[in-house]
Amino acid sequence: MIAMPEILTIAVSKGRILKESLPLLARMDIVPLEDPETSRKLVLETNRPEIRLIVVRATDVPVYVEYGAADAGIAGKDVLLEYDGDGLYEPVDLGIACCRLMLAGARDRPDTTGRARVATKYVKTTRNYFAELGRQVEIIKLYGSMELAPILRLADLIVDLVDTGGTLKANGLVPLDKIADISSRLVVNKASMKMKQALLKPFVNNLARLVNP
Ligand code: AMP
């Protein structure tokens, strides 16, 4: 399915990515008609009648784009590493919402030598990381507040996003290894790139020029 041919639909994830994407879009003269922070609308018209934004959960951005319900989207590399689809191009690193995906452990018992338990939202990336090390671990999937797991001994280690390191520190955790540098990427539906070239190509090219002048 491809979204309406005369309209570009751009999926953006809520929170930090939306906040840091809006100034980039504004520099391309794309401004939502309502404030996405306060509006309850999930489809936001912009000053450009041919461009609309949809605001969705981070993990849903690649889903909307892969199925063509959105033509393009802005998603964190952390989400894209976990995503299994192949209907997406990832043409531009936007260099926003930067952080690191880190392995961390408790300050007083930072790592175990045996079969550690690792709590994370990022199961696939964590599995690949330990597989490359040839280390057997038990992965426990959590949906948030990973930092709590070592405190309550649910897990020995966590894999989570780290920005300033403040959250780790506040919870008695120390960083052990960097698994990946993370930033937000533009993702584009492969079919839209062909069918909506006239609208989508300038959008992608302008964004690329803006972040890599
Ligand atoms: P910090 O205390 O600055 O290291 O931030 C860590 C907390 O913020 C963790 O709970 C992370 O999951 C979250 N976080 C950090 N950077 C990002 C990001 N770019 N996108 C989403 N969540 C983030």
Side-chain angles (χ1 to χ4, degrees):
M1 180 186 65
I2 297 297
M4 288 177 279
E6 71 283 12
I7 288 183
L8 268 192
T9 303
I10 316 290
V12 185
S13 60
K14 290 175 189 164
R16 185 173 163 190
I17 291 177
L18 176 65
K19 223 178 196 160
E20 296 191 25
S21 296
L22 290 175
L24 273 184
L25 294 171
R27 286 172 65 196
M28 299 202 305
D29 189 32
I30 301 168
V31 181
L33 296 181
E34 287 181 51
D35 180 356
E37 298 287 341
T38 52
S39 173
R40 287 175 177 242
K41 283 191 184 167
L42 299 173
V43 179
L44 295 164
E45 307 300 329
T46 71
N47 60 322
R48 303 261 295 272
E50 76 282 18
I51 299 180
R52 63 182 183 178
L53 305 181
I54 58 167
V55 182
V56 298
R57 275 186 72 124
T59 46
D60 292 341
V61 170
V63 181
Y64 276 89
V65 176
E66 173 161 13
Y67 286 89
D71 303 295
I74 298 176
K77 185 67 184 174
D78 53 321
V79 166
L80 298 174
L81 284 170
E82 287 293 300
Y83 189 67
D84 274 324
D86 65 352
L88 296 174
Y89 290 126
E90 196 186 305
V92 188
D93 181 347
L94 299 173
I96 57 171
C98 295
C99 58
R100 290 146 288 142
L101 187 67
M102 300 286 298
L103 177 71
R107 193 183 298 125
D108 53 353
R109 48 185 168 90
D111 206 347
T112 46
T113 44
R115 193 168 193 264
R117 281 209 301 226
V118 188
T120 188
K121 189 158 79 172
Y122 303 100
V123 170
K124 181 179 162 193
T125 314
T126 301
R127 196 186 301 119
N128 292 342
Y129 167 77
F130 282 105
E132 262 180 40
L133 293 177
R135 182 172 170 189
Q136 293 258 337
V137 293
E138 182 184 347
I139 297 172
I140 300 176
K141 165 102 184 180
L142 290 178
Y143 291 87
S145 302
M146 266 78 83
E147 296 87 358
L148 199 53
I151 296 175
L152 296 183
R153 305 222 171 202
L154 172 65
D156 307 295
L157 302 168
I158 64 165
V159 169
D160 194 13
L161 298 179
V162 176
D163 183 12
T164 61
T167 306
L168 288 185
K169 201 168 173 200
N171 290 290
L173 302 173
V174 286
L176 298 173
D177 196 12
K178 183 173 81 177
I179 297 175
D181 283 307
I182 302 295
S183 56
S184 297
R185 313 295 166 102
L186 179 69
V187 288
V188 175
N189 175 272
K190 284 185 180 170
S192 296
M193 202 57 174
K194 290 197 192 95
M195 317 271 288
K196 297 192 181 181
Q197 225 188 86
L199 277 177
L200 197 48
K201 223 172 169 187
F203 176 81
V204 174
N205 290 343
N206 287 345
L207 205 44
R209 264 198 300 274
L210 201 61
V211 295
N212 296 307

